[in-house]
Amino acid sequence: MRIRNIYIYVSVITLLVFGTTNVLGQSIDQLKKQAKYNNDAESWYQLGQAYQKGEIEKVNLKKAASYYEKAAQLGHVDASLALADIKMSKNEYGDAIKLLKIASKGGAAEASYQLGTIYEDGKNVTKDENEAIYFYLRALDGGIEKSELALKKLPVADYPDKSDIFYQKYLGENGSAESDYQLGLAYKNGKEVDKDLKKSFDYFNRASKKDFPEADYELALFYKNGLLGIKDSRKAIHYLINASNHGVKPATDMLETMDIKTFVSEDDINYLKYQAITLNNAEAQYTLYLLLSKNEEEKSKALEMCQRSALQDYQPAMLTLANLYLSGTPPLKKSTTAAFKWRRQAAYVGSDSAEYLLGTMYEGGVGVQKSEERAVRWYIKAANHGVEAASARLKTLNIDQYIDATDLEYATYKANQGDLNAQLMLGKYYYKNDQAAAINWLQKAGNQNSAEAELYLGDIFKDGKCQMVGDINKAEEHYKKALALGSQEANLRMAQLYSENASLNTKSLTSRGISKEDDAMQYANAYMVSATHINSDNTNPDPQAYLLMGNIHQQNGKTVEAIKQYDLYIKTFDEAEGNHKEFIEVINKQANAYAELGEINSALLQIDIALAKADDFSQIKDFKESYSTIKGELFYTQAILLFKKGDKYKACNVFQKAKAIGIPIEEKYENLCLN
């Protein structure tokens, strides 16, 4: 359809209406003047029309062509088209084509169609199907319907300029989602067409309905940013999720900045896909598997989701995949080996069901070499995690034939069955490793009247071990239970507890008129009776009793009595089996006790003994690491004693020895040595 800019000139109207020679002459003259002085394209065109139609004189194509050319040079579309007709009538196709291109560029659909036929036929120009397609596309957009028939005969799919807006329009009208998307971008950005956000939105919407994910992203931007005046976060997230599910990264990145859960229902299938595909969420993948597996056409996609979930160690997916292999559910082929591997992996990540199932597979030799021993081990693991079927199966098997009673898993199984020795073993094992599980097993053993278990529980609460907060009241409670169960060791623990914690004395003893010292001594004496009495059952008195008594006396200012008890400790100490660090500490305590009495020489003698013994113990494994520190501390004590004795010179030399080992010296002694 031609696009013309028509100007109505009075002179032309006069010419057409009145038709007299004088009037026509005057009108033409006026038109010529206007064209000449204003260089007006429409005036030149009207003059060309007049001469071509013979409305002034007889038809004069030469003059008409001359005026058309002037108008065409100024970009007049109809003039270019009219002049092209004249040129073609004279077989001047080179000039005609140039003029038709000017007209086509100006929007003349008829010119575009003529160019399409010229390049398609190739009679008066080199045949070029791509050029023919180029112009037919523009003619079709201009409303010339026969162009569509012409295009169907040409290889439009091979057209090289995919970005051509008219090409995209043509493909879009013929069902191409990508073309609709490209048109949406063109109208959004004003590329080759005037910017039009409404048209842009409509094209994106068309592409979206044809499942083009990039268009979903663009629609999301419209709703998120309110490009058409309305913001809608719910719709924006809906389209972003669709785009993200199909790999559009900008959509994924944008979703990370948005509050998705506020606008999306948890059971929204697209949101589930987003979690499963984009976020790679194992639980969502398995849920999606369950949904998709109900549809026969989605079986392959469902299996993919199950596999992806299983690869992330999601236990339900791993067990399901194992079952699919075991039964050979299409598209999988039956494989007991693969089923075994998936159940084993599930067991490794904590599935109690898988542990039991592995036991059955080992016992029956399904997917793995038959092994009753391995079956027993897996049954024990499952039983320890509460699988009753595993416990029932174990009752029919000879466990001791395969597993030693000290095996941790087996001990756990036996402990769960109420075996006291197993409970104690586990309690002590976890106590040694400072783990909270010790509490559980020791309490179970305590409930079976185990004094040993109560002692351990008392120690845990006294010292705040096994991830428990220290609680001396609970410690006292457990030690007393041990006492009630006949433990003599509990007397020692109680004595230590009372001697170290004044709060216990204040809370539980003062009301009975018993002092801390008296109560601690009461328990210590009770322990002493059994620990230091030599008889057929006790041939090695326990030095700990003497140490405890010494500490209690020292704390209560009975220094002489403390020295006696420390001396008994030193005399009964077993250098082969005893605690060597503790031994040195006791000698040091005795030295300080002598110093309190003013017996400095006796105190220095004890330090000399301690230094000599430290050298003797220096290569013993448990002592070796602390040897330097212990010796440095002894030097420090020795230096202080020398100061008290008045031997400043020796004292300062000994302080230097301590300092060289890394023992910090009090400022007052540093200053004394400097002076």
Side-chain angles (χ1 to χ4, degrees):
M1 183 180 288
R2 297 183 188 178
I3 300 174
R4 302 186 180 201
N5 298 316
I6 300 175
Y7 299 91
I8 307 299
Y9 292 88
V10 174
S11 58
V12 176
I13 294 172
T14 305
L15 173 66
L16 296 174
V17 174
F18 296 102
T20 62
T21 302
N22 289 336
V23 174
L24 285 172
Q26 291 174 2
S27 299
I28 291 300
D29 288 340
Q30 290 174 2
L31 203 55
K32 285 180 178 180
K33 286 179 182 180
Q34 184 171 326
K36 182 176 181 181
Y37 289 112
N38 296 328
N39 196 27
D40 181 62
E42 181 65 21
S43 298
W44 292 125
Y45 172 67
Q46 293 293 342
L47 286 168
Q49 285 275 287
Y51 280 106
Q52 185 176 13
K53 294 177 180 178
E55 293 173 343
I56 300 173
E57 53 187 56
K58 65 180 182 178
V59 173
N60 189 332
L61 292 179
K62 185 176 181 180
K63 282 188 176 182
S66 174
Y67 289 126
Y68 282 148
E69 187 171 4
K70 290 179 184 292
Q73 287 174 351
L74 293 171
H76 198 286
V77 173
D78 286 341
S80 300
L81 189 58
L83 184 56
D85 288 340
I86 294 172
K87 294 289 186 181
M88 283 192 288
S89 68
K90 296 178 179 181
N91 292 322
E92 296 176 8
Y93 279 93
D95 291 337
I97 288 171
K98 290 179 182 178
L99 290 163
L100 287 171
K101 286 183 177 180
I102 292 172
S104 173
K105 190 174 182 179
E110 184 179 336
S112 297
Y113 181 76
Q114 287 187 49
L115 285 166
T117 59
I118 289 171
Y119 280 108
E120 182 184 9
D121 294 340
K123 292 179 180 179
N124 299 295
V125 70
T126 302
K127 185 174 182 177
D128 190 330
E129 290 183 335
N130 287 329
E131 283 291 291
I133 292 169
Y134 176 89
F135 288 110
Y136 279 142
L137 289 170
R138 281 149 179 77
L140 180 62
D141 189 66
I144 299 189
E145 295 180 359
K146 56 186 176 180
S147 298
E148 186 170 9
L149 295 174
L151 285 167
K152 289 181 178 178
K153 300 175 184 177
L154 295 169
V156 178
D158 298 330
Y159 184 59
D161 187 6
K162 305 298 183 186
S163 64
D164 184 338
I165 192 69
F166 296 98
Y167 174 69
Q168 296 297 342
K169 282 185 178 182
Y170 174 75
L171 293 182
E173 292 298 331
N174 286 275
S176 169
E178 183 176 1
S179 294
D180 286 331
Y181 170 71
Q182 292 296 338
L183 288 167
L185 289 177
Y187 280 108
K188 179 182 178 182
N189 301 318
K191 182 182 177 183
E192 295 190 42
V193 292
D194 292 336
K195 187 173 181 178
D196 189 328
L197 292 179
K198 180 62 173 65
K199 283 187 177 180
S200 172
F201 178 86
D202 290 341
Y203 275 115
F204 285 141
N205 198 34
R206 282 175 52 173
S208 173
K209 290 178 179 178
K210 297 172 184 176
D211 298 324
F212 200 77
E214 286 80 0
D216 288 327
Y217 174 67
E218 293 294 338
L219 285 174
L221 296 181
F222 267 86
Y223 284 115
K224 184 177 186 294
N225 300 321
L227 297 183
L228 290 179
I230 299 174
K231 289 187 177 183
D232 191 328
S233 295
R234 189 177 300 278
K235 286 186 177 179
I237 288 174
H238 166 76
Y239 284 111
L240 284 172
I241 287 175
N242 284 347
S244 179
N245 287 347
H246 291 87
V248 181
K249 191 175 185 305
T252 303
D253 294 340
M254 188 171 289
L255 281 169
E256 291 177 358
T257 68
M258 301 181 75
D259 181 15
I260 302 176
K261 291 185 178 180
T262 300
F263 300 99
V264 179
S265 171
E266 287 289 338
D267 58 1
D268 185 313
I269 184 67
N270 286 323
Y271 179 52
L272 183 62
K273 288 181 179 179
Y274 168 72
Q275 292 178 294
I277 298 169
T278 304
L279 301 184
N280 200 32
N281 180 280
E283 184 177 356
Q285 288 165 348
Y286 185 67
T287 304
L288 190 56
Y289 155 75
L290 294 175
L291 290 173
L292 296 178
S293 61
K294 296 175 183 178
N295 186 340
E296 194 65 34
E297 296 179 356
E298 298 279 11
K299 290 285 188 182
S300 295
K301 186 65 177 178
L303 177 61
E304 179 192 340
M305 288 295 104
C306 187
Q307 289 171 326
R308 287 180 62 176
S309 180
L311 287 170
Q312 295 192 73
D313 291 342
Y314 187 62
Q315 294 176 23
M318 299 164 87
L319 293 173
T320 296
L321 197 55
N323 291 339
L324 293 174
Y325 273 115
L326 201 59
S327 62
T329 302
L332 293 177
K333 293 182 179 179
K334 184 173 182 177
S335 172
T336 56
T337 302
F340 171 80
K341 288 179 178 178
W342 278 113
R343 283 179 175 175
R344 181 177 61 186
Q345 184 60 26
Y348 285 160
V349 297
S351 170
D352 46 23
S353 301
E355 290 169 346
Y356 170 69
L357 292 170
L358 276 179
T360 63
M361 296 184 87
Y362 271 116
E363 189 175 8
V366 179
V368 67
Q369 186 175 354
K370 187 174 182 178
S371 171
E372 191 167 286
E373 178 185 346
R374 290 182 178 274
V376 165
R377 290 187 178 278
W378 283 110
Y379 284 144
I380 287 174
K381 287 179 181 291
N384 288 341
H385 291 131
V387 180
E388 293 183 4
S391 298
R393 192 74 195 97
L394 284 168
K395 291 176 181 178
T396 68
L397 300 170
N398 184 1
I399 304 175
D400 293 328
Q401 178 183 348
Y402 303 110
I403 304 177
D404 188 87
T406 59
D407 179 272
L408 198 62
E409 291 282 358
Y410 185 30
T412 303
Y413 170 72
K414 291 175 70 177
N416 279 323
Q417 303 299 312
D419 187 293
L420 174 60
N421 290 330
Q423 291 170 349
L424 268 175
M425 186 193 106
L426 290 172
K428 289 190 281 189
Y429 170 82
Y430 289 117
Y431 173 85
K432 182 179 179 181
N433 290 282
D434 200 28
Q435 294 179 9
I439 306 291
N440 173 55
W441 295 116
L442 290 170
Q443 285 178 338
K444 287 180 181 294
N447 290 338
Q448 295 198 61
N449 297 324
S450 168
E452 186 177 5
E454 295 295 349
L455 284 176
Y456 272 100
L457 287 167
D459 290 346
I460 287 171
F461 286 107
K462 173 178 173 288
D463 300 324
K465 291 186 175 181
C466 301
Q467 303 172 38
M468 296 297 293
V469 177
D471 187 330
I472 55 175
N473 292 302
K474 286 187 177 180
E476 179 188 30
E477 178 184 334
H478 286 292
Y479 288 150
K480 285 184 175 180
K481 286 182 179 179
L483 274 173
L485 292 168
S487 170
Q488 293 303 316
E489 184 73 19
N491 282 304
L492 178 62
R493 298 289 210 285
M494 288 292 288
Q496 291 171 329
L497 186 70
Y498 276 58
S499 67
E500 295 170 5
N501 296 280
S503 61
L504 278 177
N505 182 60
T506 301
K507 179 179 177 181
S508 61
L509 303 178
T510 304
S511 61
R512 294 186 281 130
I514 303 174
S515 70
K516 170 183 172 183
E517 176 192 0
D518 290 343
D519 202 70
M521 290 296 288
Q522 174 186 322
Y523 285 114
N525 282 323
Y527 180 71
M528 289 280 284
V529 171
S530 62
T532 63
H533 180 65
I534 308 299
N535 56 36
S536 59
D537 297 323
N538 181 28
T539 58
N540 295 300
D542 186 356
Q544 280 291 318
Y546 298 121
L547 174 58
L548 177 60
M549 296 290 285
N551 288 340
I552 294 171
H553 285 309
Q554 184 66 14
Q555 288 169 4
N556 291 281
K558 297 181 179 180
T559 308
V560 174
E561 294 300 321
I563 290 172
K564 291 178 180 179
Q565 295 300 323
Y566 291 147
D567 197 48
L568 289 170
Y569 174 94
I570 294 167
K571 289 176 179 178
T572 57
F573 180 74
D574 184 351
E575 292 193 10
E577 301 293 336
N579 185 329
H580 299 88
K581 292 180 187 178
E582 184 180 80
F583 178 73
I584 298 296
E585 289 173 3
V586 171
I587 298 177
N588 198 16
K589 285 183 177 184
Q590 192 179 45
N592 286 319
Y594 275 121
E596 285 182 24
L597 296 174
E599 298 181 21
I600 304 301
N601 289 330
S602 296
L604 285 168
L605 178 61
Q606 291 305 107
I607 294 299
D608 287 338
I609 293 171
L611 286 167
K613 285 296 182 181
D615 289 338
D616 291 343
F617 300 155
S618 63
Q619 298 305 310
I620 295 174
K621 183 179 179 182
D622 292 337
F623 191 87
K624 190 174 183 179
E625 292 180 0
S626 305
Y627 169 65
S628 294
T629 302
I630 291 172
K631 196 160 185 179
E633 290 172 349
L634 289 171
F635 280 140
Y636 193 89
T637 302
Q638 187 181 46
I640 292 173
L641 291 172
L642 287 168
F643 258 117
K644 289 181 178 180
K645 186 178 179 181
D647 196 338
K648 176 182 174 182
Y649 179 76
K650 284 185 178 181
C652 290
N653 284 337
V654 176
F655 268 133
Q656 289 303 312
K657 291 180 181 180
K659 190 174 182 179
I661 293 174
I663 304 299
I665 309 301
E666 285 185 61
E667 187 177 355
K668 67 177 181 178
Y669 292 119
E670 289 271 20
N671 293 334
L672 285 170
C673 287
L674 287 173
N675 296 325

